[in-house]
Amino acid sequence: MSHGYYRSFTNIQYKKHAIAQAIILSLFFTPLWVSAASSETVAQQELDVEVMTVTAQKRVQNIMKVPVTVDSVSADTIKQSGSVMLNDIDKFIPGFDFSDGDVTQAGVTMRGVSSPNISVGGDPSTATFFDGVYLPRAAQNVLFSDMQRVEVLKGPQGTLFGKNAAMGVVNMIPNAPEDDTTGFIKGSFGSDNLQRIEGMFNVSLADNVYLRLNALSNQQDGYIKNVASSSLSDKNAGDAGEKDHQAARAALKWEISSRTDLQLSYDWDQLDQAPGAAIGLSPYAENPGEPFADTFANDVVNGNERRDMTAVTVKLNHEFNQQWSMMLLSSKRQWETYNRIDEDGTQNISRYLDTDNHEDSDIFYNELQVNYNSDNFHYVGGVTYSKEDVHQTTFITTTTDTAARLVSGQLNEQIAAGVRAEFATGVGVSPDDVPQETVDYLLALNGLPLEHIWDAEQWSTALNLMGVAGDIMDYLAYIGAVPAGTPLTPEIITLTGDATYDIVAQQLDIAEIFGPSYSNQMWSENFINNGEFTSYGIYSDFDFQLSDQWNVFFGLRHSKDEKDFSWQVSQTQFAQVRSGINNILFPARDQLWQSKSWSKTTGRLGTGYIINDDHMVFASVANGYKAGGFDSLNSPHSESSGEVLIDPETGKAIDVSFEPEESLNYELGYKGILFSEIRTTLSLFHTVLDDRQISKNSKPPGQNQALPTIVNEDMTIDGFELGMNWQMTQTLAAGFVTEVRNTDVETEAFYNDSGTLIEAGTAKTDTTTSYTLVADWLPNVSSGSAVVHFDYVFKENDRGLEIGNDDWVNSIPHYFDDTKLLNARISWINDSESLEIGVWGKNLLDNRYPGFVGGRTKDILGTGYTSVNKGLEAGVDIKYMF
């Protein structure tokens, strides 16, 4: 948007009321969901308001005349709200949410349906595009450097956008080079040492060649201090929320002729910052049960989140004549990610666990699109092809101190079995008839179960109870370590160091029993996955204008996805330190490949009816599809032995792929201007989602550690979304967007993160509501122009849908609180439109809420954690334009 709009705001005469309305609407309504900026605008003659355009149907259209539910956020909204990523703008779009956790494992939630992103073998339910190119998993979250607008389409969009658009599409559209010499440099500075520097320069290199360069650096200190002081590493993981993210883009556009243009762009993205913080809630955490304290302790070794990503894109547009045109797009994007995070929320060396996800991937994406446009008929068709190669290594690392604790748990099972058998013999019953309470009582009389085998007192008790203490002391006497007849005591264990542990390890043939001299070393077991994914699509979409008021559209796409995927688990490197050691979390597994393909024909059918220049209604039905896949941590191997599981009927490895998602959506909508000044959009929808792929931390029998596992759910979603923009006075505008949703969920049986079997069941939420209120005011100033912006966000908590949570999760403070956030910005621009100064605040109410929950170690180590949002932020920004 031109800065001339700002200058016009200061004209206190307001000589023409309709023009003033148009200007105010164009600025103030762009922060709302209908505010897509475009180089082409269409004026509504009766209202003299600027109408924005979108490309939701792969052609430029007036957003208020598109017979589909599409929302858009403009460059002005991004600026006014201080947004730099997708999670900053979701508040302006009803039904859309983007997680604000780790950048490399973030994901879209559309109308309550989120997508698991930890597994490279799967895909999101909502497709994300940047400059027309599909972005997989870890590539989705990019910085808004010189962004023109972001469009969000809800409901199945497979016909036009294809790959994995079962619930919708997010389409980020950067600015293209233009025939002009212009630019800016902007700095934002604020709380927690925020330093955000952005710049853009556009220049004409020749009469028909244009270059556009832009860059953005976003750095900020954390907002909760990490006070971990670990003997494992000299460097801790950094403070919660620490940011260091840079991005740059160079785009060259060549207008070959009046009908043909070619654009070549290069994108660079580099991230190197603290990982998501695990705010411990266990008794072993820095602040037990207090997630909102000023400090936390994560002792993860070399913890950080990194991503190095580059992309090259070529886009060719050609008009054959006034009706026919084509677009050819080809892009190669590659990235490497590293994300080593704390998984226990403590700095207790004997309860240590971290995971480190390394992904090395690239995708080659191509699309050929053909368009035909006439007064009464519009056609869009084309083909898509993508090839993605992925390599992921998931490092699951603990300490030898924690490994010894886990071995203690395994010995407890053996000791308990012995106590049960001895008691059963004494009373003359079967061991199966001995109540567990009796076994627990007998163990407690002897100070058991074992907490840790390196506790000398507990270890001596356990050895005496196991009946091996005499043999140990006889051997120690034989080698002259102790006098004959000496009983085994804690003092003897301490005096002899590793001797008692080595003897027991040899007698029981358990090399994983080792003594405290091995303390303070690392133990890692690594999952290794490789994948080769190929996708094909062919589509056609037809739009018939039956009359000036009525149009009908329909389209079909056939998609095919082929996936080859492998699993492997390496042996722990600690086996090189102590011979004979085996994995204790997951058995080592040789590499095993599986292949599978999925195909589906999807489509849409709809109609729009323009009642008059101010009102239209539309209706549509569409189905969507997301390919099945493979869970990177759930392989066709036995959990106990690591051997390949064979299907007795086929004689082949058991198929562990998960089912594709299929969605069916019915939509009714209205778009119009009420009372000559309130722009309104309303949509009502009914969505049925079969075999939704959701990731849950699961610990089935025989598995020592809870891991993210894909579980299938069926969902039914009913709701409506409403957006209203009201020009209240010449200098005051207000906006309101809201969603109201009911959801029914049916989940298959699964084991939760504590190993408890959660039977197949259903859950139903009460009606949940979210809304955003926006107000913008143009105060009269003596020179230049000023804008005062407020937005208030309310999100009703819907965590009642989470099936299988343990009590500790449900007892997290404020876990079920509704979200309430107030944000504001005041800006001033000088008369020459060369300087803009803004003062802003976020979360002015300083409300704090817990976020995602980690419980992988809750059962085996007694630890669990959460995350928390950032409190009050404030700052200033300065922008110089030329």
Side-chain angles (χ1 to χ4, degrees), residues 597-608:
S597 64
W598 299 267
S599 62
K600 183 75 174 180
T601 299
T602 57
R604 68 172 189 156
L605 172 65
T607 184

Side-chain angles (χ1 to χ4, degrees), residues 258-502:
S258 60
R259 291 187 174 185
T260 307
D261 65 77
L262 177 69
Q263 179 176 300
L264 174 65
S265 60
Y266 175 80
D267 293 281
W268 172 84
D269 183 290
Q270 186 173 69
L271 173 77
D272 190 356
Q273 61 189 27
I279 309 298
L281 299 170
S282 71
Y284 317 103
E286 176 71 15
N287 299 287
E290 296 292 337
F292 306 109
D294 295 330
T295 60
F296 74 107
N298 282 178
D299 59 356
V300 55
V301 176
N302 299 322
N304 78 333
E305 182 183 19
R306 301 204 320 266
R307 182 179 67 189
D308 296 310
M309 182 166 64
T310 59
V312 176
T313 303
V314 179
K315 188 184 298 185
L316 175 67
N317 292 286
H318 176 70
E319 294 181 0
F320 297 100
N321 51 45
Q322 292 184 348
Q323 286 79 36
W324 286 99
S325 63
M326 60 154 284
M327 185 275 295
L328 177 63
L329 182 150
S330 184
S331 177
K332 179 67 177 292
R333 181 176 294 266
Q334 54 189 7
W335 64 93
E336 294 183 45
T337 67
Y338 306 84
N339 194 16
R340 190 167 188 175
I341 61 175
D342 193 287
E343 294 284 3
D344 58 87
T346 78
Q347 57 175 333
N348 187 318
I349 193 173
S350 70
R351 301 179 190 276
Y352 179 98
L353 186 76
D354 77 58
T355 58
D356 188 6
N357 181 47
H358 289 195
E359 182 178 345
D360 185 353
S361 301
D362 63 75
I363 183 170
F364 182 44
Y365 181 85
N366 303 269
E367 181 172 4
L368 173 62
Q369 177 187 315
V370 177
N371 289 65
Y372 177 85
N373 290 287
S374 65
D375 292 340
N376 299 318
F377 175 65
H378 304 278
Y379 168 78
V380 179
V383 293
T384 59
Y385 166 81
S386 68
K387 178 68 179 294
E388 183 179 2
D389 293 318
V390 302
H391 173 83
Q392 177 177 272
T393 301
T394 304
F395 298 85
I396 302 176
T397 303
T398 186
T399 60
T400 46
D401 306 68
T402 302
R405 179 179 294 280
L406 298 177
V407 171
S408 303
Q410 296 173 9
L411 287 177
N412 281 330
E413 295 177 2
Q414 295 186 22
I415 294 171
V419 169
R420 181 187 298 273
E422 184 176 355
F423 181 82
T425 301
V427 299
V429 298
S430 168
D432 294 338
D433 294 331
V434 179
Q436 183 61 42
E437 292 81 2
T438 301
V439 177
D440 292 342
Y441 174 76
L442 295 173
L443 290 173
L445 289 178
N446 292 279
L448 297 175
L450 280 168
E451 178 73 15
H452 199 291
I453 60 175
W454 293 352
D455 183 306
E457 184 172 346
Q458 286 194 339
W459 183 236
S460 63
T461 300
L463 295 181
N464 281 293
L465 192 60
M466 293 168 64
V468 298
D471 294 337
I472 291 174
M473 296 311 297
D474 288 344
Y475 176 77
L476 293 177
Y478 172 75
I479 64 175
V482 297
T486 302
L488 178 61
T489 64
E491 291 74 20
I492 293 295
I493 290 175
T494 301
L495 180 65
T496 57
D498 287 353
T500 57
Y501 300 94
D502 292 338

Side-chain angles (χ1 to χ4, degrees), residues 30-31 73-85 88-89 92 144-150 173 186 196 198 825:
T30 52
V73 177
S74 73
D76 281 319
T77 303
I78 293 171
K79 180 188 71 173
Q80 292 288 353
S81 59
S83 301
V84 293
M85 304 188 86
D88 296 316
I89 65 166
F92 299 113
F144 289 166
S145 181
D146 196 28
M147 193 72 66
Q148 182 188 115
R149 68 181 184 272
V150 179
I173 304 170
K186 178 181 179 181
R196 184 180 302 149
E198 183 179 4
R825 183 177 187 265

Side-chain angles (χ1 to χ4, degrees), residues 87-142:
N87 61 281
D88 296 316
I89 65 166
D90 54 8
K91 60 187 175 183
F92 299 113
I93 301 175
F96 169 63
D97 185 70
F98 198 88
S99 60
D100 57 359
D102 297 336
V103 172
T104 58
Q105 293 182 2
V108 176
T109 298
M110 192 74 77
R111 289 178 170 173
V113 178
S114 59
S115 303
N117 269 310
I118 193 171
S119 174
V120 295
D123 297 287
S125 300
T126 297
T128 302
F129 289 80
F130 179 83
D131 200 17
V133 179
Y134 176 75
L135 301 181
R137 301 167 313 277
Q140 287 181 320
N141 214 356
V142 297

